[in-house]
Amino acid sequence: PQLLAALRDENALTLHSALLAHCLLQGREVSVDDLEGAGVLSAVHAALAEAAEGAAGQEAPQLDFAMLDAALGVAEEAFAQQQEAAAEEGSKHRKQCGGGPSSCHHVLLVELGELAHALELLAHLCLALAHAMHAPLLDRCATCCQLLASLAAPASASGAIPGLSSQGVSVLIEALAVVAQWHHFAGSSPSDTAMGPSVPRGLQRRVLAVIGWAVAGEASAEVRAVASAGVEQLLQDRAFGDDPEALADARQLMSMTMPSMT
């Protein structure tokens, strides 16, 4: 398509090209594989990496929220479509893979290109957005993490996709701790309406699900130790308030870490 050719000619991701790519992908006018072939997904990865690097170590990160929102929008839609394809038992992807779920997921991850390896930088962006108290973007970033982790789980068991490092787990736990403190900064966020400090429903559970994926299976003792100590501290600090579902998820995650801790 002519629009896809125009995207291919872009040297780097711009707000316009990201919005256009998201629109085309969401409308199913192009596929995930098309965007990867045009270099768009690599450009999205580069934009996310640049944002994460620029925000590293800052409690008041300077982020281009509009650009980050557009890049995360493309990533979220790409992850969601690949997850949808993986879930459809009779889909074309399942028939082409010819193997078990892990081989099918591996093919779908290959179509994502560099974005398939974006989980670590997305975790760091979660922390940056928590410090920025940008609830909608943090929720979108956490959703991207959860979608990618779910898609990568079968493939990671075979070593095709690396899991989160102990640092990646640590920054997600820190992000949860920062979110738990939002109520202390009421009125300090960039916007009282769009970016207020209220915690989006399900946000904490999404982050806990990603940490749970990281400690499952062949996770290192260090990853399990960081997750166990971090979640235990969050529980002691009542970071999940009175949310019974988040509390249950946190306790289940603690139980997942215990066998390798003994």
Side-chain angles (χ1 to χ4, degrees):
Q2 194 170 17
L3 289 175
L4 191 61
L7 289 173
R8 187 179 290 109
D9 292 336
E10 295 278 355
N11 293 323
L13 193 73
T14 64
L15 182 60
H16 177 266
S17 62
L19 292 173
L20 177 58
H22 184 228
C23 183
L24 292 172
L25 188 60
Q26 195 171 46
R28 306 295 174 115
E29 295 180 53
V30 297
S31 68
V32 170
D33 198 31
D34 288 335
L35 289 186
E36 169 56 18
V40 175
L41 298 189
S42 293
V44 168
H45 181 275
L48 295 176
E50 182 179 357
E53 183 179 351
Q58 299 182 40
E59 291 193 4
Q62 299 297 311
L63 295 166
D64 183 340
F65 292 129
M67 186 65 208
L68 188 54
D69 186 32
L72 285 172
V74 177
E76 182 182 14
E77 184 64 28
F79 295 153
Q81 288 194 18
Q82 298 302 81
Q83 180 67 6
E84 179 184 334
E88 294 175 355
E89 292 294 333
S91 70
K92 180 177 69 174
H93 283 288
R94 289 283 186 183
K95 294 175 182 177
Q96 288 178 341
C97 289
S102 62
S103 61
C104 180
H105 280 68
H106 180 67
V107 168
L108 294 167
L109 287 163
V110 167
E111 291 180 354
L112 288 169
E114 290 182 87
L115 268 186
H117 301 269
L119 192 55
E120 190 87 10
L121 68 88
L122 286 169
H124 284 269
L125 281 173
C126 280
L127 178 56
L129 290 165
H131 278 303
M133 290 191 294
H134 199 313
L137 269 187
L138 174 56
D139 197 40
R140 169 164 273 182
C141 194
T143 299
C144 284
C145 286
Q146 187 178 19
L147 285 168
L148 182 54
S150 177
L151 186 63
S156 65
S158 63
I161 295 295
L164 275 178
S165 68
S166 58
Q167 184 183 15
V169 171
S170 180
V171 297
L172 285 179
I173 289 170
E174 187 179 350
L176 288 173
V178 172
V179 167
Q181 297 299 313
W182 277 0
H183 65 280
H184 292 308
F185 302 98
S188 301
S189 57
S191 165
D192 288 337
T193 54
M195 301 178 229
S198 60
V199 181
R201 182 175 178 81
L203 169 63
Q204 293 165 311
R205 298 192 71 200
R206 277 188 275 282
V207 177
L208 286 170
V210 177
I211 298 172
W213 168 78
V215 303
E218 302 296 321
S220 69
E222 182 182 7
V223 167
R224 290 176 180 272
V226 168
S228 179
V231 175
E232 182 178 18
Q233 188 63 54
L234 289 171
L235 287 168
Q236 290 177 0
D237 294 342
R238 295 184 53 80
F240 307 109
D242 298 319
D243 184 340
E245 294 178 326
L247 286 167
D249 287 350
R251 289 171 182 141
Q252 182 180 13
L253 200 160
M254 284 290 297
S255 70
M256 291 170 61
T257 67
M258 295 311 294
S260 291
M261 296 292 295
T262 58

